[in-house]
Amino acid sequence: MRKTILKVLLSYFILYVLQFLIIPLFYDEIIGGGNEATAVLCITTVIITLIGMIAFSDKLRFWLLGLLFYTALIFLYTPEGAYGIGMWGIDLDGTHSHYEPSARYIVITVVVILVLLIQLSVWCFVKLLKLIKFIIRKLKK
């Protein structure tokens, strides 16, 4: 059980490194939020979560525990404005959003809730796949 939890935590660490350390170096469109940032956040979360749930464990309680670790990592370091974290204001009619450190907490909460919803969807998908696989095996016997 401990090895499984460590593997899930490793999955979250890889997700964090990918989303907040590697991708911001190569892809500037995630700074300030927007559709591209949301797409990158969602796609990387789906891929890492799907691989982790298939390879390591699909127990939701382990993934919820790992989400706390992921949230702590985001609080420790986030590139300024990545995925809209810390951005305040609306880019509309000549006004521009700006980085406001106090706004970090609100957007981090939104990002974590988004990741949680994505992971719940992936978890349901994995459980459905396992159920279909079980039914097919029973029908073959």
Side-chain angles (χ1 to χ4, degrees), residues 5-20 45 48-49 52-53 56 60-71 73 112 115-116 119-120:
I5 293 173
L6 288 176
K7 290 176 183 177
V8 170
L9 291 178
L10 177 66
S11 296
Y12 273 108
F13 184 73
I14 291 170
L15 181 64
Y16 171 78
V17 167
L18 186 65
Q19 289 177 340
F20 292 97
T45 302
I48 297 297
T49 304
M53 284 190 180
F56 304 134
L60 191 58
R61 66 179 180 265
F62 295 158
W63 289 91
L64 293 175
L65 177 67
L67 190 61
L68 295 174
F69 174 67
Y70 177 76
T71 305
L73 289 173
V112 169
V115 168
L116 175 65
Q119 288 180 332
L120 285 173

Side-chain angles (χ1 to χ4, degrees), residues 88-105:
W88 192 256
I90 299 174
D91 295 331
L92 185 65
D93 293 336
T95 61
H96 296 287
S97 58
H98 62 281
Y99 184 75
E100 180 67 40
S102 62
R104 288 184 70 229
Y105 307 112

Side-chain angles (χ1 to χ4, degrees), residues 2-138:
R2 284 187 179 175
K3 287 183 180 180
T4 305
I5 293 173
L6 288 176
K7 290 176 183 177
V8 170
L9 291 178
L10 177 66
S11 296
Y12 273 108
F13 184 73
I14 291 170
L15 181 64
Y16 171 78
V17 167
L18 186 65
Q19 289 177 340
F20 292 97
L21 302 178
I22 295 174
I23 291 176
L25 291 175
F26 301 108
Y27 190 60
D28 292 335
E29 296 298 319
I30 64 155
I31 303 299
N35 293 334
E36 294 89 0
T38 305
V40 168
L41 188 74
C42 293
I43 290 169
T44 54
T45 302
V46 167
I47 291 170
I48 297 297
T49 304
L50 188 61
I51 291 170
M53 284 190 180
I54 291 172
F56 304 134
S57 175
D58 63 347
K59 298 207 182 305
L60 191 58
R61 66 179 180 265
F62 295 158
W63 289 91
L64 293 175
L65 177 67
L67 190 61
L68 295 174
F69 174 67
Y70 177 76
T71 305
L73 289 173
I74 294 173
F75 273 109
L76 287 175
Y77 175 74
T78 304
E80 189 173 300
Y83 305 102
I85 294 175
M87 299 305 286
W88 192 256
I90 299 174
D91 295 331
L92 185 65
D93 293 336
T95 61
H96 296 287
S97 58
H98 62 281
Y99 184 75
E100 180 67 40
S102 62
R104 288 184 70 229
Y105 307 112
I106 297 168
V107 183
I108 287 174
T109 304
V110 171
V111 166
V112 169
I113 289 171
L114 177 65
V115 168
L116 175 65
L117 292 174
I118 291 169
Q119 288 180 332
L120 285 173
S121 301
V122 170
W123 178 74
C124 289
F125 179 73
V126 168
K127 288 294 189 179
L128 183 65
L129 284 178
K130 287 188 175 188
L131 178 66
I132 291 170
K133 188 176 176 182
F134 175 76
I135 291 172
I136 289 173
R137 264 194 261 140
K138 285 293 184 181

